[in-house]
């Protein structure tokens, strides 16, 4: 990155502008008469506008020097020439170049004031009726209102991209609402950190104990802790945490909490032995999931004797004999409204699911296969021989720009067209997604949920899979027998050893599990690179694209950030004609493996068969196919879909030669190279090691410290998640 400087000038022309997020490329004529290319978030910019841009100089391979804006001070055009150029740009609907010139000829430097405050005077201009005059004035007022919201946000270093959403939500009231209560930006739709808003509000003169501050702090604590997996917080813990956060006496926090309860913004209920405080939507999700599952459990199907006959026919056709537990699971899938199928690697989960699919289809049922991630869905498709989809895609997910909420097209009014739904990798499904799925099941639809009980829990709030299993209420088949073929795999043997609290066997003589001791971080990284770039492709015919490097952590010398730099350098170095784009600390290059790091509901993709849709999700992995010479458009292939990213979306991507174990959940790779190095205490646990080992299908190579795996295996500490689902199911089950 180059030096930082401030440039003042007038916008000459707009090269590119993304109306959704405000990302803009423009040419600025400086006060010294030079033309400068400016890139950054500058919504509603137009020729004729004056601005002072502070930013960093970068050198673009095609466009040369350009200023990447960090902050922009803008002022409306003042001279007649500036106003004419500004209005002629088409920034206000209803005014083209000819009308712009007529307005400036008539009203001179007062033109913009007339547009805002005296629209009736516009009728004296040829071609402008009373109706059109009002439409022009409304459009201009909206624009100035939006500009003022942007200026407010920019003054406090908040992302000006929020202005569009605020204006859609509140219209002309957006700025007054912001000034009355800046904490409204703490809402999940805007996602501004509470600490940043707190600083702004206090600088604006808000009192430390003002109700809006205390209210925002309570809601922030509940929202923030969703990220820690908690569906609710005990009342005493919520009060104490909020009081500590904002330095207000606990009894004052209690008064505000009671007001939120009165308004039903927060719901309190005695659950799991505590007074639990929920965000309203989480309370509704938990009670709905519990009630729906209990109702589905109550309605078993009549299957007569045909099921046993069909199972025998499937066995004969496939030349296999199902183990008693497998046969039990297949029979129960036909009979029960809801079924949980659990088991570790090698216990025949896949074979059982294949049998369930075949049986249900033979019974004339429409079967839908679902998984939480794209990679898990792809694997399910390959194993079951029919298309599987992600849950989000099957539900027809939409993103509401106005509220910032995710909604689904499929629901109780328009349910999924399926008689049976089978969901794999259930441990990854959080409470809100579970609610959305259950809402979309039509009456009489069977639900089979499949998963490994020892995997890491979902990233989102809740502990759905574990709660269902531990409630004892949902019909469950737990596959325990490890088949002989699986017992021969050292990967599977070591996975079970770790699950039992024992260190994995790091000795030699194992066909698919190897350990290379590298205690120095520098040597560890070097060995990982050698394995991926040379040794495995050359000696074992495993190409680099079939190998996934895993680490427990992003940070440090052995974290994914550093590993990705080293792997990129070896696997995809710079070359003549190979385009690249620098974004922050990362260089993105044609040919790079990248991962989407947050759900983006607006990215458009096109499949190879011409199907078009939207949405690229957290954890989706793709390859950069092309970076256009301007560096503003990046074409990425995600499995069978191609998306074109604008450069501002690079903040949502990271290199994926190495990824964290948490990000690898739900995926399986031909070969895994696992980094064994110390990390934060919360990551040095059994679940992380077990999940990492079970990602490898054919080969696992552990590289690093020989003490770490034993320590992780011995540490079964699991953070408790506050969830009332198990208790609700249990109470509901006992009541029936």
């Amino acid at each position: 990155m180059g030096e930082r400087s401030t440039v003042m000038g007038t916008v000459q022309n707009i090269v590119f502008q993304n109306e959704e997020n405000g990302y803009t490329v423009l040419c600025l004529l400086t006060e010294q008469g030079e033309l400068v290319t400016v890139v950054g978030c500058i919504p509603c910019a137009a020729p004729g506008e004056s601005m002072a841009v502070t930013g960093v100089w970068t050198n673009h391979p095609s466009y040369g020097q350009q200023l990447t804006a960090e902050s922009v001070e803008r002022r409306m055009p003042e001279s007649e020439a500036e106003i004419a150029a500004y209005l002629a740009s088409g920034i206000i609907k209803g005014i083209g170049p000819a009308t712009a010139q007529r307005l400036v000829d008539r009203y001179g430097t007062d033109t913009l004031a007339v547009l805002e405050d005296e629209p009736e005077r516009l009728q004296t201009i040829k071609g402008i009726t009373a109706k059109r005059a009002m439409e022009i004035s409304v459009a201009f007022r909206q624009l100035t209102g939006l500009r003022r919201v942007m200026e407010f946000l920019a003054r406090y270093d908040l992302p000006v991209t929020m202005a569009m959403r605020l204006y859609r939500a509140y219209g002309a009231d957006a700025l007054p609402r912001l000034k009355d209560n800046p904490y409204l930006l703490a809402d999940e739709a805007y996602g501004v950190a509470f600490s940043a808003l707190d600083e702004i509000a206090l600088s604006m003169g808000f009192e430390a104990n003002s109700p809006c501050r205390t209210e925002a702090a309570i809601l922030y604590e509940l929202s923030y802790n969703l990220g820690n997996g908690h569906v609710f917080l005990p009342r005493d813990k919520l009060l104490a945490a909020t009081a500590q956060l904002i330095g207000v006496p606990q009894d004052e926090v209690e008064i505000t909490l009671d007001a939120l309860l009165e308004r039903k913004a927060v719901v309190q209920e005695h659950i799991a032995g505590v007074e639990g405080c929920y965000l309203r939507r989480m309370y509704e999700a938990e009670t709905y999931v519990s009630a729906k599952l209990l109702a589905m459990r109550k309605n078993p199907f009549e299957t007569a004797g045909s099921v046993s006959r069909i199972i025998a026919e499937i066995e004969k056709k496939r030349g296999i004999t199902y183990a008693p537990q497998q046969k039990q699971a297949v029979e129960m899938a036909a009979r029960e409204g809801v079924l949980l199928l659990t088991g570790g690697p090698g216990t025949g989960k896949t074979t059982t699911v294949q049998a369930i699919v075949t049986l249900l289809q033979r019974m004339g049922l429409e079967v839908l296969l679902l998984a939480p991630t794209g990679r898990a869905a792809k694997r399910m498709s390959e194993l079951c021989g029919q298309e599987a989809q992600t849950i989000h895609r099957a539900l027809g997910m939409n993103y509401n720009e106005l509220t910032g909420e995710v909604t689904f097209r499929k629901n109780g009014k328009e349910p999924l067209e399926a008689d049976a739904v089978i969901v794999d990798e259930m441990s990854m499904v959080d409470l809100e997604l579970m609610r959305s799925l259950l809402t979309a099941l039509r009456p009489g639809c069977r639900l089979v949920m499949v998963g490994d009980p020892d995997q890491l829990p979902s990233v989102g709030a809740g502990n759905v899979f574990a709660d269902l299993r531990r409630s004892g209420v949902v019909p469950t088949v737990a596959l325990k027998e490890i088949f002989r073929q699986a017992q021969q795999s050292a990967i599977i043997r070591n996975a079970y050893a770790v699950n039992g609290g024992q260190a994995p066997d790091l000795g030699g003589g194992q066909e698919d599990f190897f350990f290379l001791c590298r205690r120095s971080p520098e040597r560890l990284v070097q060995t990982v690179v050698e394995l991926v770039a040379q040794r495995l492709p050359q000696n074992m015919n495993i190409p680099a694209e079939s190998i996934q490097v895993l680490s427990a952590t992003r940070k440090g010398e052995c974290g994914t950030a550093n590993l990705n730099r080293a792997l990129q350098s070896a696997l995809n170095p710079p070359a003549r004609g190979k385009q690249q784009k620098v974004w922050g600390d990362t260089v993105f290059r044609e040919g790079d493996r990248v991962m989407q790091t947050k759900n983006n509901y607006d990215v458009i993709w096109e499949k190879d068969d011409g199907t078009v849709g939207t949405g690229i999700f957290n954890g989706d992995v793709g390859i950069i196919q092309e970076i256009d010479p301007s560096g503003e458009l990046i074409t990425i292939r995600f499995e069978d879909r191609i998306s074109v990213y604008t450069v501002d979306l690079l903040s949502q991507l990271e290199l994926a030669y190495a990824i964290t174990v948490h990000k690898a959940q739900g995926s399986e790779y031909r070969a895994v190279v696992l980094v064994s190095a110390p990390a934060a205490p919360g990551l040095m646990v059994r679940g992380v090691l077990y999940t990492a080992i079970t990602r490898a299908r054919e080969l696992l190579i552990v590289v690093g410290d020989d003490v770490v795996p034993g320590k992780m295996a011995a540490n079964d500490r699991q953070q408790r998640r506050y969830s009332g689902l198990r208790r609700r199911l249990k109470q509901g089950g006992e009541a029936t």
Side-chain angles (χ1 to χ4, degrees):
M1 296 293 251
E3 59 179 306
R4 181 174 278 94
S5 60
T6 299
V7 173
M8 289 182 281
T10 305
V11 178
Q12 285 297 289
N13 67 298
I14 305 297
V15 179
F16 171 83
Q17 188 154 59
N18 182 328
E19 289 183 14
E20 283 300 311
N21 57 30
Y23 181 80
T24 304
V25 180
L26 58 81
C27 289
L28 196 70
L29 182 64
T30 70
E31 293 175 340
Q32 291 73 39
E34 296 175 36
L35 266 181
V36 170
T37 301
V38 176
V39 299
C41 181
I42 315 171
C44 305
E49 182 180 353
S50 297
M51 57 180 65
V53 182
T54 301
V56 174
W57 290 103
T58 56
N59 207 22
H60 192 279
S62 301
Y63 292 115
Q65 269 213 325
Q66 56 186 35
L67 190 63
T68 301
E70 292 176 343
S71 65
V72 182
E73 282 183 37
R74 303 164 67 171
R75 72 172 171 78
M76 294 294 274
E78 293 175 356
S79 71
E80 289 188 8
E82 286 174 348
I83 293 169
Y86 180 73
L87 295 177
S89 71
I91 191 143
I92 298 169
K93 193 178 174 185
I95 299 182
T99 305
Q101 196 55 58
R102 285 200 291 271
L103 285 166
V104 173
D105 288 345
R106 175 71 55 88
Y107 301 116
T109 55
D110 292 333
T111 300
L112 299 183
V114 170
L115 288 177
E116 185 164 11
D117 302 321
E118 301 176 90
E120 63 280 356
R121 290 175 63 189
L122 300 180
Q123 295 172 59
T124 61
I125 303 291
K126 185 183 175 187
I128 297 184
T129 61
K131 183 177 178 229
R132 192 175 166 210
M134 288 311 299
E135 286 171 351
I136 289 170
S137 182
V138 165
F140 183 69
R141 284 176 189 161
Q142 282 181 340
L143 183 65
T144 53
L146 187 61
R147 283 281 301 263
R148 283 166 189 151
V149 172
M150 288 177 196
E151 284 160 11
F152 176 90
L153 295 170
R155 190 181 318 140
Y156 294 107
D157 292 326
L158 293 169
V160 290
T161 48
M162 286 179 214
M164 308 288 280
R165 194 172 294 162
L166 279 162
Y167 212 77
R168 285 184 190 132
Y170 300 113
D173 285 338
L175 189 59
R177 292 284 290 266
L178 262 181
K179 287 180 174 176
D180 285 347
N181 182 11
Y183 292 104
L184 64 82
L185 292 176
D187 187 276
E188 285 169 286
Y190 310 107
V192 182
F194 177 83
S195 55
L197 291 176
D198 205 32
E199 203 174 304
I200 291 165
L202 294 173
S203 74
M204 289 169 67
F206 281 79
E207 296 292 332
N209 63 347
S210 64
C212 68
R213 179 175 188 246
T214 310
E215 184 176 297
I218 291 169
L219 296 173
Y220 165 78
E221 284 291 348
L222 290 171
S223 295
Y224 175 80
N225 277 286
L226 295 177
N228 292 329
H230 300 307
V231 179
F232 68 82
L233 287 180
R235 181 182 172 102
D236 57 346
K237 289 188 184 297
L238 175 59
L239 292 172
T242 307
Q244 185 177 358
L245 177 70
I246 57 174
V248 168
Q250 200 161 307
D251 56 349
E252 291 186 24
V253 177
E254 197 158 14
I255 292 166
T256 305
L257 174 58
D258 288 338
L260 283 167
L261 293 171
E262 186 75 27
R263 282 196 352 240
K264 295 187 168 52
V266 175
V267 178
Q268 183 176 306
E269 187 173 297
H270 187 80
I271 188 78
V274 296
E275 292 299 325
C277 291
Y278 294 79
L279 289 172
R280 182 169 188 78
R281 73 170 202 277
M282 299 308 294
Y283 175 78
E284 289 173 350
E286 191 173 273
T287 51
Y288 178 85
V289 167
S290 172
K292 179 77 181 245
L293 287 172
L294 288 166
M296 291 173 73
R297 185 201 68 149
K298 270 196 270 181
N299 296 313
F301 297 87
E302 291 294 331
T303 55
S306 61
V307 170
S308 298
R309 179 177 50 78
I310 296 171
I311 292 173
E313 288 171 8
I314 296 170
E315 286 180 315
K316 187 176 179 183
K317 187 176 180 183
R318 294 191 176 163
I320 57 176
T321 303
Y322 295 121
Q325 284 180 322
Q326 290 180 303
K327 196 172 288 189
Q328 180 195 7
V330 181
E331 289 169 349
M332 286 176 68
R335 188 175 68 244
E336 301 290 348
V338 57
L339 174 68
L340 211 57
L341 175 63
T342 76
T347 57
K349 280 202 310 290
T350 300
T351 308
T352 309
V353 170
Q354 289 168 337
I356 290 171
V357 172
T358 306
L359 171 72
L360 295 176
Q361 288 175 336
R362 287 278 298 274
M363 291 169 63
L365 304 181
E366 184 73 31
V367 180
L368 182 62
L369 304 182
L370 302 179
T373 67
R375 291 184 80 97
K378 187 182 180 199
R379 195 173 87 240
M380 199 181 187
S381 297
E382 292 163 354
L383 295 172
C384 293
Q386 75 172 68
E387 188 198 2
Q389 302 176 60
T390 64
I391 300 170
H392 287 86
R393 212 169 291 293
L395 293 178
M397 186 187 58
N398 293 304
Y399 182 62
N400 187 326
E401 267 287 338
L402 188 64
T403 62
E405 288 179 334
V406 177
T407 57
F408 294 102
R409 194 179 70 254
K410 295 292 184 182
N411 50 42
K413 292 177 183 170
E414 189 189 336
L416 291 165
E417 292 168 14
D419 305 306
V421 171
I422 301 176
V423 185
D424 198 9
E425 297 288 352
M426 260 304 294
S427 61
M428 297 180 71
V429 176
D430 63 36
L431 182 66
E432 289 190 281
L433 186 56
M434 186 66 181
R435 181 209 179 145
S436 300
L437 174 62
L438 290 174
T439 304
L441 299 184
R442 62 190 183 193
C445 181
R446 294 165 170 82
L447 175 64
V448 179
M449 297 171 281
V450 185
D452 183 337
D454 300 303
Q455 294 265 18
L456 292 167
S458 60
V459 174
N463 212 1
V464 175
F465 191 53
D467 283 349
L468 299 188
R469 206 165 40 86
R470 289 163 57 218
S471 72
V473 170
V474 179
T476 302
V477 177
L479 301 176
K480 297 276 176 64
E481 182 188 344
I482 305 169
F483 290 94
R484 189 178 298 117
Q485 188 181 350
Q487 289 172 359
Q488 294 166 4
S489 163
I491 292 173
I492 291 177
R493 287 200 308 274
N494 280 305
Y496 281 103
V498 166
N499 217 19
Q502 298 170 16
D505 179 2
L506 303 181
Q510 303 181 93
E511 288 189 11
D512 58 359
F513 188 107
F514 298 92
F515 174 72
L516 301 176
C517 188
R518 301 287 188 273
R519 293 201 180 95
S520 147
E522 193 178 324
R523 284 280 292 121
L524 186 156
V525 173
Q526 185 185 338
T527 301
V528 168
V529 171
E530 286 170 3
L531 283 166
V532 178
Q534 297 152 22
R535 290 162 65 174
L536 295 182
Q538 291 168 13
N539 302 340
M540 303 193 75
N541 292 319
I542 301 177
E545 57 267 26
S546 297
I547 305 165
Q548 185 61 61
V549 176
L550 299 182
S551 173
T553 181
R554 288 177 49 83
K555 299 174 181 174
E557 284 184 80
C558 303
T560 57
N562 188 48
L563 284 162
N564 270 316
R565 282 189 287 269
L567 287 161
Q568 181 194 43
S569 181
L571 296 169
N572 192 28
R576 184 184 294 277
K578 188 186 287 185
Q579 297 289 343
Q580 63 182 42
K581 177 73 180 178
V582 179
W583 188 263
D585 296 332
T586 306
V587 178
F588 290 102
R589 201 170 283 142
E590 289 175 342
D592 274 336
R593 187 192 304 178
V594 291
M595 176 182 277
Q596 178 77 12
T597 60
K598 62 181 286 190
N599 290 341
N600 188 318
Y601 308 100
D602 302 321
V603 176
I604 297 168
W605 48 261
E606 183 174 356
K607 279 192 172 185
D608 298 338
D609 63 5
T611 309
V612 176
T614 60
I616 300 291
F617 305 117
N618 186 358
D620 284 355
V621 173
I623 302 291
I624 296 178
Q625 290 199 321
E626 184 184 353
I627 300 175
D628 81 315
S630 72
E632 304 306 323
L633 297 172
I634 297 92
T635 304
I636 305 171
R637 172 176 280 278
F638 293 93
E639 302 285 358
D640 61 342
R641 291 166 290 149
I642 287 181
S643 288
V644 178
Y645 277 43
T646 48
V647 70
D648 51 303
L649 293 178
L650 289 179
S651 62
Q652 298 178 11
L653 288 176
E654 59 185 34
L655 295 174
Y657 299 103
I659 63 175
T660 63
V661 177
H662 280 85
K663 290 284 188 189
Q665 234 183 315
S667 297
E668 191 178 75
Y669 311 96
R670 186 177 168 192
V672 166
V673 176
L674 174 61
V675 170
S676 173
L683 298 170
M684 293 288 96
V685 295
R686 186 182 301 170
V688 171
L689 181 57
Y690 176 81
T691 300
I693 292 172
T694 52
R695 298 311 88 207
R697 188 168 67 245
E698 291 179 24
L699 178 68
L700 176 70
I701 302 180
V702 182
V703 183
D705 190 325
D706 55 346
V707 175
V708 166
K711 283 186 173 177
M712 292 177 77
N715 182 6
D716 193 27
R717 192 189 70 222
Q718 294 173 331
Q719 183 200 9
R720 182 188 171 189
R721 292 186 167 203
Y722 290 111
S723 160
L725 181 60
R726 179 170 73 103
R727 188 62 60 91
R728 290 183 197 284
L729 287 166
K730 208 170 172 59
Q731 288 169 347
E734 288 164 358
T736 55

